[in-house]
Amino acid sequence: MAEPSIYDEIELEDLTYHPSTTLYTYPCPCGDQFEITLQDLRDGEEIAVCPSCSLMIRVIFDASDLPAEEPPKEKNTGVAVEAAA
């Protein structure tokens, strides 16, 4: 399989992280944004793509650079549980 054509190599610290969507973005020359998710990076993916054009960038990072994984949030059922006395 051929190596994808990479427009540029960008350090993770130069991308913008959006915690609410866990998405990293970087400006694309076409006016849109290259995008890659935090989970993709954790899975070893390093290619961010622009949804509006064919350009791709390689994200340079170490796994230790990524935000720590948050433990799963417990669902609040709204039911009070009384502690045994």
Side-chain angles (χ1 to χ4, degrees):
M1 188 163 101
E3 179 76 15
S5 179
I6 304 298
Y7 170 72
D8 204 353
E9 293 187 347
I10 307 296
E11 297 279 340
L12 181 68
E13 62 210 27
D14 294 329
L15 277 73
T16 301
Y17 180 59
H18 307 275
S20 61
T21 59
T22 67
L23 189 70
Y24 281 91
T25 60
Y26 187 79
C28 180
C30 80
D32 203 348
Q33 301 277 321
F34 292 103
E35 300 177 347
I36 191 166
T37 66
L38 176 57
Q39 190 59 52
D40 285 342
L41 293 168
R42 286 191 176 130
D43 290 343
E45 180 62 53
E46 58 184 22
I47 305 299
V49 298
C50 176
S52 296
C53 72
S54 61
L55 293 179
M56 295 179 270
I57 57 171
R58 183 180 316 278
V59 180
I60 308 300
F61 72 101
D62 290 322
S64 62
D65 296 336
L66 300 174
E69 288 191 60
E70 294 183 17
K73 295 180 181 175
E74 293 183 22
K75 292 183 179 178
N76 183 356
T77 60
V79 178
V81 177
E82 292 187 28

